[in-house]
Amino acid sequence: MIDLAPWVVYALLSAFFAALTAIFAKLGLKNVNSDLATAIRTVVILFITWGLVFFRGSSSELPGLSRNNWLFLILSAIATGLSWLFYYRALQLGRVSEVSAIDKGSIVFTILLSFLFLKEPLTPRIVAGGLLIVAGMWVLVWK
């Protein structure tokens, strides 16, 4: 059996549920405004995540959050919201396989932004992987 680090298991589960998200969203977007659909999705996620916070007792950590924590978590939430709004609109207008392929281009943006802002190394392996992702996106959406 393969011994995977816990973060790899979580990442694979994230990828699997992201795939289900695309399929279920496409099915749910039929004759529905994409902004309304995103709002519904957000409310459901709100209840699930706050339920987990209270169930696990994590709410006691709220007073310990720094201004930096709040600032960057809020900025992340804004970016997430915009990503979801654009993603749902793209899903409504396009094919799931093509929209999802382009959406995964976020990996390339993440590589570049992590290099610029987090000073993470940009190794030949990472550059090659990023270029392969761009090539894969191109193959999937090229007509």
Side-chain angles (χ1 to χ4, degrees):
M1 183 170 188
I2 299 173
D3 186 29
L4 297 176
W7 70 266
V8 174
V9 174
Y10 288 125
L12 288 169
L13 287 169
S14 173
F16 174 73
F17 284 108
L20 287 179
T21 298
I23 301 302
F24 293 155
K26 182 68 175 182
L27 293 169
L29 281 166
K30 187 172 184 177
N31 302 319
V32 176
N33 176 282
S34 62
D35 296 335
L36 174 62
T38 304
I40 292 168
R41 172 188 184 182
T42 303
V43 169
V44 172
I45 291 168
L46 178 77
F47 282 110
I48 290 170
T49 54
W50 276 107
L52 281 171
V53 165
F54 289 116
F55 178 75
R56 292 183 178 166
S58 303
S59 60
S60 62
E61 297 176 25
L62 274 170
L65 295 177
S66 69
R67 281 190 181 164
N68 247 15
N69 293 138
W70 281 106
L71 172 66
F72 288 111
L73 290 173
I74 289 169
L75 288 173
S76 174
I78 292 168
T80 297
L82 290 170
S83 172
W84 289 356
L85 288 166
F86 291 124
Y87 182 69
Y88 266 46
R89 185 66 178 145
L91 278 177
Q92 193 169 47
L93 299 172
R95 295 173 52 156
V96 174
S97 59
E98 293 172 343
V99 170
S100 292
I102 293 171
D103 180 63
K104 298 313 173 223
S106 65
I107 297 167
V108 176
F109 289 117
T110 302
I111 290 168
L112 294 173
L113 293 172
S114 67
F115 171 74
L116 293 173
F117 295 109
L118 303 177
K119 307 300 182 215
E120 291 187 1
L122 196 57
T123 65
R125 180 179 59 89
I126 292 172
V127 171
L131 291 173
L132 287 169
I133 290 167
V134 170
M137 283 175 20
W138 183 257
V139 168
L140 287 169
V141 300
W142 180 45
K143 305 237 185 234

